[in-house]
Amino acid sequence: MAYELELDVALNAARRSGEAALAHQRRGVTAQQKADESPVTIADKESEKLIAGLIADSFPDDGILGEEGANRQGTSGRRWIIDPIDGTRDFVRGNPLWCVLMGLEEADDVVAGVVHFPVLNQTTWATRGGGAFTNGVRLHASRKTSVGESVLLANGLQFLHGRKVGVGFVEWMSRFWAVRSLGGSLDATWVAAGMAEVWLEPKVAAWDLAAHKIILEEAGATFFNFDGGSSIYGGNAVGCAPGVAPAVREFLLRS
């Protein structure tokens, strides 16, 4: 399997950093506010340091980009994109929806990704051409083609305020069979697993998306930005079952 070593290293790093973060959570953590008003804890910083160290040991020529400041220029043409605790608000409040995100970028494409939920004991991964899996079970996107039969997982709805896409959004949501919001990363894995049809994020960064992009695509789902592009640097994202992608694109491009 291509990227087998990279996947093994990423899985090990995600699990070890998740264990370290859990230890912090059990002792109790206090969040500080970053310049962008998002929270950060000592667990975020130490988990990122642990992941970056393990990557550097195994792939010393690879670059690293982390949400909490890790930024190493590599020479291999590859870069690891890390979010050590995706869902710090969830982490601080003690709910189980936070996770570790790791993606490997090569030649402007994400070629491997890992999403690890320590509390849920759930790990999802994918490699380019190798398929997507959760705890060893292969994932397949939903085959539904109608919005009326579909589950919409919309995260970060507060960021729709004052934006064109927010106009008519509630009416558009009413067309779906059901609407849920599980914090972002769990939403994305549900779409990859065929448990829902649409995951929508109005405000995200590359480290929020790298792992999910390849997992969704390897599961047969589609990944795109609100403007129709397909970049982890687009600032927003949609992952959805291919059968409902045209309807979602139509709404977003009309907005």
Side-chain angles (χ1 to χ4, degrees):
M1 180 181 70
Y3 304 104
E4 184 172 3
L5 176 59
E6 289 84 352
L7 179 61
D8 286 345
V9 171
L11 288 169
N12 177 58
R15 288 166 179 154
R16 286 182 58 180
S17 67
E19 291 169 1
L22 269 176
H24 278 287
Q25 190 182 51
R26 294 186 186 108
R27 292 193 296 266
V29 291
T30 301
Q32 298 175 321
Q33 187 167 284
K34 295 189 289 188
D36 64 358
E37 298 186 354
S38 64
V40 64
T41 71
I42 186 64
D44 295 79
K45 297 176 181 178
E46 290 192 357
S47 292
E48 181 166 292
K49 184 177 180 180
L50 172 61
I51 293 170
L54 291 170
I55 291 172
D57 288 343
S58 297
F59 307 107
D61 297 327
D62 289 0
I64 298 174
L65 175 66
E67 181 179 10
E68 308 310 334
N71 191 353
R72 190 182 76 188
Q73 299 299 315
T75 59
S76 66
R78 309 194 317 177
R79 180 167 70 169
W80 292 86
I81 303 175
I82 305 164
D83 189 345
I85 299 180
D86 181 61
T88 300
R89 289 183 173 87
D90 300 311
F91 178 77
V92 171
R93 295 297 295 270
N95 79 48
L97 299 180
W98 60 276
C99 65
V100 182
L101 297 178
M102 298 179 62
L104 174 60
E105 182 181 50
E106 182 177 32
D108 298 320
D109 185 29
V110 185
V111 296
V114 170
V115 180
H116 175 55
F117 291 88
V119 182
L120 301 179
N121 194 29
Q122 174 181 310
T123 308
T124 301
W125 66 86
T127 56
R128 185 63 67 198
F133 301 83
T134 290
N135 291 359
V137 178
R138 185 149 191 172
L139 305 182
H140 299 281
S142 167
R143 296 183 179 181
K144 294 189 182 298
T145 59
S146 166
V147 165
E149 297 178 306
S150 298
V151 177
L152 168 65
L153 302 172
N155 191 50
L157 295 179
Q158 71 271 28
F159 298 118
L160 294 176
H161 178 69
R163 299 175 60 177
K164 283 184 65 177
V165 70
V167 178
F169 192 81
V170 173
E171 188 278 327
W172 183 66
M173 285 197 303
S174 71
R175 304 177 195 177
F176 284 81
W177 185 72
V179 179
R180 302 285 184 265
S181 183
L182 302 172
S185 284
L186 194 59
D187 296 329
T189 59
W190 276 26
V191 171
M195 298 164 62
E197 284 65 47
V198 182
W199 163 58
L200 186 144
E201 288 277 354
K203 184 180 179 182
V204 278
W207 42 73
D208 300 309
L209 299 175
H212 293 306
K213 183 177 189 292
I214 185 168
I215 288 168
L216 286 161
E217 291 174 347
E218 285 295 318
T222 59
F223 174 95
F224 53 90
N225 309 118
F226 287 13
D227 64 1
S230 182
S231 171
I232 62 173
Y233 303 100
N236 51 56
V238 175
C240 67
V244 297
V248 177
R249 290 180 186 272
E250 180 183 10
F251 171 76
L252 292 174
L253 292 175
R254 181 187 301 168
S255 300

